[in-house]
């Protein structure tokens, strides 16, 4: 486009990073002004920093200790949700999902105090999860799923537990009572 002497024009430039971190490029404008070096060309340095809102859950897998199906739930396990990106993350909700979701529950933690929870870069909050099995079958599986404003939402952590029943005490296979006459009364307990 032609630009009149002593006039200017606007060249729109956009920055759309595909990854976080520092990025740089050059904008080269060709023109007919012989006073620039090199003649007929002007270079403009472009810099920008890409950011990403990312989150993690640690540990990524929790194996709950075995829990008696008659006395559960077991002790809570703590899962930490952390802002691992380079911009703030807003936690909006969390749920337990999966095949045996009904046997696990969120019982507290700092992430549940007053959602939504805003986490600055490097900050974290916690979820307390308990396992309360209803049967003593094979291992029970579910996942903690956290919805948030980061690019990797939802972020999940897997949960596993085993319900058990207490073993019955062993009884002797035989009891031998002393010989007693009829109508003598009951023997001593054994």
């Amino acid at each position: 486009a032609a630009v009149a002497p002593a006039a200017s024009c606007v060249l729109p430039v956009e920055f759309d990073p595909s990854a976080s971190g520092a990025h740089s490029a050059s904008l080269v404008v060709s023109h007919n002004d012989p006073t620039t070096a090199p003649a007929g060309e002007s270079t403009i340095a472009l810099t920008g920093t890409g950011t990403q809102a990312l989150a993690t859950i640690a540990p990524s897998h929790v194996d709950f200790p075995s829990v008696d199906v008659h006395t559960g739930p077991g002790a809570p396990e703590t899962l930490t949700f952390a802002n691992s990106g380079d911009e703030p993350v807003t936690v909006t909700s969390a749920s337990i999902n999966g095949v045996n979701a009904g046997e696990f529950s969120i019982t507290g933690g700092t992430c549940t105090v007053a959602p939504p929870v805003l986490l600055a870069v490097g900050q974290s909050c916690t979820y307390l999860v308990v396992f309360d099995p209803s049967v003593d079958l094979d291992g029970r599986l579910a996942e903690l799923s956290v919805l948030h404003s980061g690019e990797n939402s939802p972020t999940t952590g897997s949960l596993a537990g085993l319900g058990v029943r207490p073993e019955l005490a062993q009884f002797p296979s035989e009891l031998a009572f002393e010989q007693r006459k009829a109508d003598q009364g009951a023997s001593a307990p054994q």
Side-chain angles (χ1 to χ4, degrees):
V3 180
S8 64
C9 70
V10 175
L11 296 172
V13 177
E14 293 180 359
F15 176 61
D16 185 12
S18 59
S20 61
H23 299 273
S24 62
S26 297
L27 173 65
V28 178
V29 180
S30 298
H31 52 77
N32 63 358
D33 181 358
T35 63
T36 61
E41 198 172 272
S42 294
T43 302
I44 302 167
L46 306 173
T47 60
T49 302
T51 61
Q52 283 186 302
L54 296 172
T56 57
I57 290 181
S60 61
H61 176 80
V62 175
D63 277 315
F64 285 79
S66 297
V67 175
D68 184 330
V69 297
H70 298 296
T71 61
E77 294 286 335
T78 301
L79 288 94
T80 301
F81 179 86
N83 179 348
S84 56
D86 44 23
E87 64 182 61
V89 168
T90 301
V91 179
T92 53
S93 67
S95 60
I96 303 288
N97 303 314
V99 177
N100 308 117
E103 299 189 39
F104 298 86
S105 58
I106 300 168
T107 60
T110 58
C111 296
T112 63
V113 174
V117 175
L118 178 64
L119 297 176
V121 174
Q123 282 189 320
S124 62
C125 59
T126 59
Y127 289 97
L128 298 178
V129 177
V130 296
F131 175 51
D132 190 5
S134 58
V135 294
D136 62 341
L137 298 173
D138 297 333
R140 316 309 278 162
L141 303 172
E143 69 179 14
L144 170 66
S145 179
V146 180
L147 293 175
H148 55 87
S149 61
E151 279 95 41
N152 62 334
S153 180
T155 299
T156 61
S158 64
L159 310 171
L162 181 65
V164 296
R165 292 184 192 268
E167 290 186 28
L168 294 175
Q170 291 248 330
F171 293 102
S173 61
E174 181 179 309
L175 289 176
F177 291 92
E178 64 185 49
Q179 208 174 30
R180 296 190 64 81
K181 290 184 181 187
D183 298 330
Q184 188 179 0
S187 67
Q190 293 193 23

